[in-house]
Amino acid sequence: HSERVSIVSEKIAVSMGMKPSDIYEIKMAGKYHDIGKIAINTDILSKKEPLSESEKLELKRHPELSFNILNSVQELGPVADIALYHHERWDGKGYPAGLKGEEIPIQSRIVAVANVYEAITGKNRQYSKPLNKEEAAKELEKGAGSQFDPNIVGIFLKKVLNKIDIDSK
């Protein structure tokens, strides 16, 4: 999952014309955004049924755990903030800080789109079958302006989506 998030994040950043050092950080953040899950109970991570409220709260700790892990490695320190905020929402209803709109680092907004795209199209979906590209595009469009930065969704749909081979997952 994380490798694919890294690749999609990189493609978005390149399509946005970001400088190479920023692209590299975004690529690394995509790769390590969920590293904090190593500290989450494996029963929660592998559970097939919907999570209880307490299990959801436990899982929501992973961005902060990822931040702490990444921040402890000098070479990965710059990507710690990106990982910390990858579950923030454009409308301010995300976590862990409830940031809204452009308060969320642009790198985190990119990883958020890549992460959700990969999650809904990946073969390892927990509760339902993977979506195809067209279905995934509709889901991202629905979330543009509420869950996601609408500009990044637009760039993803116009410039990146057709460059992704969903069947190679």
Side-chain angles (χ1 to χ4, degrees):
H1 164 78
S2 291
E3 189 60 43
R4 292 185 298 269
V5 172
S6 176
I7 291 166
V8 174
S9 296
E10 177 185 27
K11 288 177 187 289
I12 295 169
V14 167
S15 293
M16 292 176 71
M18 297 183 117
K19 63 184 182 179
S21 59
D22 291 338
I23 293 168
Y24 177 76
E25 284 182 3
I26 290 166
K27 181 179 179 180
M28 296 308 291
K31 187 171 190 169
Y32 295 114
H33 71 285
D34 278 345
I35 197 166
K37 286 184 177 179
I38 64 171
I40 303 294
N41 184 317
T42 55
D43 292 339
I44 293 172
L45 296 175
S46 62
K47 189 172 179 182
K48 299 294 182 206
E49 317 69 58
L51 300 177
S52 69
E53 288 306 311
S54 64
E55 291 167 331
K56 287 178 189 175
L57 287 174
E58 176 70 13
L59 185 59
K60 283 184 172 185
R61 291 181 51 236
H62 85 270
E64 293 171 279
L65 296 167
S66 295
F67 172 84
N68 292 335
I69 292 166
L70 293 168
N71 214 29
S72 71
V73 179
Q74 185 173 4
E75 298 82 25
L76 296 175
V79 303
D81 282 338
I82 302 170
L84 178 62
Y85 300 123
H86 79 276
H87 280 291
E88 296 292 348
R89 289 176 48 112
W90 189 252
D91 61 11
K93 296 178 182 175
Y95 61 92
L99 300 180
K100 182 177 183 176
E102 293 187 5
E103 294 173 346
I104 307 163
I106 192 164
Q107 301 95 324
S108 300
R109 290 182 266 151
I110 290 169
V111 172
V113 170
N115 183 46
V116 169
Y117 175 79
E118 202 302 306
I120 64 179
T121 61
K123 290 181 180 168
N124 296 325
R125 276 196 93 179
Q126 279 185 296
Y127 306 117
S128 58
K129 70 177 184 65
L131 302 181
N132 63 36
K133 280 185 181 184
E134 294 75 25
E135 294 166 331
K138 286 178 186 169
E139 286 298 309
L140 290 173
E141 284 176 326
K142 273 198 266 185
S146 57
Q147 185 173 358
F148 309 112
D149 178 332
N151 182 50
I152 293 172
V153 171
I155 289 167
F156 175 77
L157 295 176
K158 289 179 186 124
K159 297 182 177 182
V160 177
L161 184 61
N162 290 331
K163 297 177 183 174
I164 299 172
D165 182 9
I166 200 169
D167 297 325
S168 66
K169 293 183 172 187

